[in-house]
Amino acid sequence: NAADQYTVWVSSDYTNDVQTATWTQVNITYPAASGWSFTTTTAKLPAVGKNARVAFKYKNEAGAKTITWEINNLSIR
């Protein structure tokens, strides 16, 4: 389940330590199918100000097959 393994987060108080920052998960639309193809996804970020930091979190259980997530042409407006 991609939504459990790949998540996007945003913070407005990040100061060089991911563990002390406050992170809000961003709701994104995940592709319906698996495979090697690029999918365009749009997400609305919470209003966090001009110093926002975006984080991409990948989770994989020990011993599970690894899959990849490639980010291409990221644009934040």
Side-chain angles (χ1 to χ4, degrees):
N1 184 352
D4 292 333
Q5 294 178 328
Y6 309 107
T7 52
V8 180
W9 300 79
V10 65
S11 175
S12 62
D13 65 355
Y14 173 81
T15 55
N16 298 323
D17 186 352
V18 295
Q19 294 183 2
T20 61
T22 304
W23 295 96
T24 302
Q25 188 170 355
V26 177
N27 293 322
I28 64 173
T29 302
Y30 295 90
S34 63
W36 185 249
S37 64
F38 288 102
T39 302
T40 300
T41 300
T42 302
K44 291 191 177 213
L45 298 177
V48 293
K50 64 182 178 180
N51 291 320
R53 301 294 192 263
V54 178
F56 300 90
K57 184 177 178 182
Y58 171 79
K59 180 174 79 173
N60 194 42
E61 294 182 25
K65 290 183 179 181
T66 58
I67 49 181
T68 61
W69 191 30
E70 184 174 329
I71 301 166
N72 190 16
N73 296 327
L74 175 67
S75 176
I76 298 176
R77 298 179 225 170

